[in-house]
Amino acid sequence: MTPEVASEYGKQLPDWILIRKVANQSYQTILEQILGVGESSAIALGLEVPESVVVIDDLKARKVAKSLNLQTTGSLGILVKAKHKGHVDRLTPLLEQLQQTDFRISEKILAKILSLVGE
């Protein structure tokens, strides 16, 4: 995670989350012409870390990352993987909590995710 993303999150992060600054700021500066600071820093860091997966929910930013041949996933993808790996017993309560924030998810996507994990 970049310092910019951590700042946008605005809450205390667990100790296991590593904060890493983008070394080549020129990538980030260019990306900031079309994306937000957090998304730009995440993509720029993804370009610097071989075989990384950029966690990004913004559709425009995800398209930019994919155009740069970066692997991407979103928050929902992480939750599905956590459920499949047994780190989470049930996704329904987590998704309900997520919906209480400004995170937007359509009913169609919600139903598909719950179907994928057998809930």
Side-chain angles (χ1 to χ4, degrees):
M1 176 180 290
T2 66
E4 293 85 354
V5 174
S7 177
E8 285 182 4
Y9 182 66
K11 296 179 184 172
Q12 182 70 30
L13 294 167
D15 292 338
W16 55 267
I17 294 182
L18 301 176
I19 306 296
R20 183 169 171 182
K21 190 170 174 70
V22 174
N24 186 342
Q25 291 289 310
S26 63
Y27 289 142
Q28 184 173 334
T29 301
I30 291 167
L31 290 165
E32 285 176 11
Q33 302 304 308
I34 56 171
L35 300 172
V37 173
E39 290 90 354
S40 297
S41 68
I43 291 170
L45 185 59
L47 290 168
E48 293 179 359
V49 179
E51 300 183 34
S52 62
V53 177
V54 179
V55 179
I56 202 154
D57 290 315
D58 181 80
L59 181 60
K60 182 178 179 182
R62 191 180 289 221
K63 286 180 181 180
V64 169
K66 286 182 180 181
S67 76
L68 295 169
N69 296 317
L70 292 172
Q71 287 186 337
T72 64
T73 191
S75 300
L76 299 175
I78 290 174
L79 290 174
V80 167
K81 191 166 213 157
K83 168 74 176 188
H84 285 150
K85 290 192 169 219
H87 300 298
V88 174
D89 292 328
R90 294 191 62 238
L91 277 193
T92 301
L94 296 174
L95 293 172
E96 288 171 355
Q97 279 184 305
L98 195 57
Q99 288 179 302
Q100 300 303 314
T101 69
D102 63 351
F103 191 89
R104 288 177 244 115
I105 178 172
S106 73
E107 290 299 320
K108 184 178 178 180
I109 298 287
L110 184 61
K112 184 176 181 178
I113 288 170
L114 292 174
S115 174
L116 276 173
V117 297
E119 288 184 37

